Amino acid sequence: MKFPDQFLWGAATASYQIEGGGLEEGRGECIWHRFSHTPGKVMNGDTGDVACDHLHRYREDVALMSDLGLQAYRFSVSWPRVLPAGVGAINPAGLDFYDRLVDGLLEAHIQPFVTLYHWDLPQALQDRGGWENPDSVQWFADYAALMAGRLGDRVKDWITLNEPWVVAFMGNYTGDHAPGKHDLSAAYKAAHHQLLGHGKAVPLIRSAVPDAKVGITLNINYFDAATDSEADQLAVQRQDGYVARWFLDPLYKGCYPTDIVELVGDALEGIDLDAVRAAAVPTDFLGLNYYTRNTAAYSQEEPLHIDLVKHDHDRYTEMGWEIYPDGLRKLLIQLHQDYAPGALYITENGAAFEDPAPTDGVVEDPERAAYLNAHFEAASQAIEAGVPLKGYFVWSLLDNFEWAYGYSRRFGVVYVDFETQRRVLKRSALYLRDVIQGKA
Ligand code: IFM
């Protein structure tokens, strides 16, 4: 594996998944607080009330990052921690926390990458329609400007949104995520307003932080057809349009993909589709969260006529996601060819496996280490093929609250005993350290 000298190695987390601290220190309620406290929504009734207690243990966690030799750390800001009602009154204790975290990272020579929105919308804004409400564009822009103004003297790398597809469709269409709706038209509105919010926020971040590097993070799997049949080939195109091009085309071309517009038709009623040109503001990088391949086949089911099929092999993680490292190489090359972002970062990649209890101060997780190794190799091949990939953030630093799965899925390279909050390095963390130090 070869990586350029300036290549950045890091790990990623998200506020609601690790911070805990409940509604302490003036943090407002977020949609995941409401959702996880609603019986039946999250496995085992788990909530993010305590999570990894990172709010109180961030110093220890920064020390862990240092110990692993991480050069960068991607974390998200909890919007309701800094603006409890989403707009208006600021919570100084919330801003102070992120100040301390950033200072701690910089002291440890770890470059902070801040994600502004990683799913914990203030509940007060959801009560006003959330991302479905056109006002959400301005709410987000104001919040982005607040954070850039506060942290911009020290934070140069900014990500506006994490996985807007998941926010829109899993939150509002499948209902698996907060706010738990089943309304396709609400999902398309939520997608549209996130795109416009991104478009409005980017120049505000730039004016607060003239030397900022700003980007957005999308979740894109590698899409393949189940068979060579024309019907399955077309299903792949639709899957790609539904998940990837619906965001990439607005961001890089200023318009929605017409094939999907025609397909979903009525669900787009009330959306001024042309307005999406405002999302095509220049950015510095595209963040890619890559985990797996989706294999699509034709199905009768409206509106997309897609069935995602499983292969007959055992290369699946505990999430039921196929392990397909070569998809990362192919996807990076595709993105570079089709959209030519100035730079790319892998802002998330990692795997959930059932981990054994720690023995002799380490957790043996050979499958996770092998998963990372194979994906690092794929990334290095993409670089060799000319992709301007600048860095790689492993998901995740710590085992954490895996949304609707609660604490039942462990993605960390660091094991967390949620009873005691003890952190234990996994073998994959030691492997990551070796890679960073050029020893693996
Ligand atoms: O835990 C999530 C993260 O919040 C967003 N990307 C996928 C991860 C694993 O499901």
Side-chain angles (χ1 to χ4, degrees), residues 11-174:
T13 64
S15 45
Y16 191 76
Q17 293 182 272
I18 65 161
E19 283 181 0
L23 301 181
E24 232 178 77
E25 294 189 1
R27 180 201 204 179
E29 189 188 9
C30 75
I31 55 174
W32 271 95
H33 182 274
R34 177 72 59 92
F35 191 72
S36 61
H37 281 263
T38 306
K41 297 295 186 192
V42 173
M43 227 175 242
N44 305 316
D46 290 341
T47 73
D49 286 2
V50 178
C52 307
D53 196 30
H54 175 74
L55 182 72
H56 303 112
R57 294 168 196 265
Y58 71 92
R59 283 191 194 83
E60 183 190 336
D61 293 336
V62 172
L64 268 175
M65 295 177 216
S66 235
D67 183 31
L68 294 179
L70 299 192
Q71 298 155 342
Y73 173 54
R74 172 180 176 235
F75 65 95
S76 76
V77 172
S78 155
W79 184 344
R81 189 180 291 294
V82 298
L83 288 166
V87 291
I90 290 167
N91 174 30
L95 287 174
D96 290 349
F97 168 66
Y98 295 109
D99 263 342
R100 291 196 300 273
L101 175 59
V102 165
D103 289 344
L105 290 167
L106 293 176
E107 273 162 35
H109 306 289
I110 298 169
Q111 190 171 327
F113 273 61
V114 168
T115 304
L116 287 163
Y117 186 68
H118 198 129
W119 308 357
D120 41 359
L121 189 76
Q123 181 63 42
L125 296 183
Q126 187 60 45
D127 295 342
R128 295 163 69 182
W131 287 109
E132 263 181 88
N133 185 336
D135 291 346
S136 57
V137 176
Q138 193 60 49
W139 299 336
F140 179 67
D142 290 344
Y143 157 61
L146 169 73
M147 293 315 303
R150 177 68 174 234
L151 300 179
D153 56 336
R154 288 152 292 154
V155 174
K156 304 301 169 189
D157 297 282
W158 295 84
I159 294 167
T160 53
L161 304 168
N162 180 71
E163 304 185 4
W165 180 85
V166 174
V167 172
F169 293 92
M170 291 185 70
N172 296 282
Y173 180 42
T174 70

Side-chain angles (χ1 to χ4, degrees), residues 42-44 46 318-319 352-355 400-411 418:
V42 173
M43 227 175 242
N44 305 316
D46 290 341
E318 214 199 341
M319 296 295 283
F353 291 108
E354 219 171 296
D355 291 320
N400 59 46
F401 177 79
E402 177 51 30
W403 308 112
Y405 292 92
Y407 297 99
S408 71
R409 298 291 186 280
R410 292 178 177 272
F411 272 92
F418 291 104

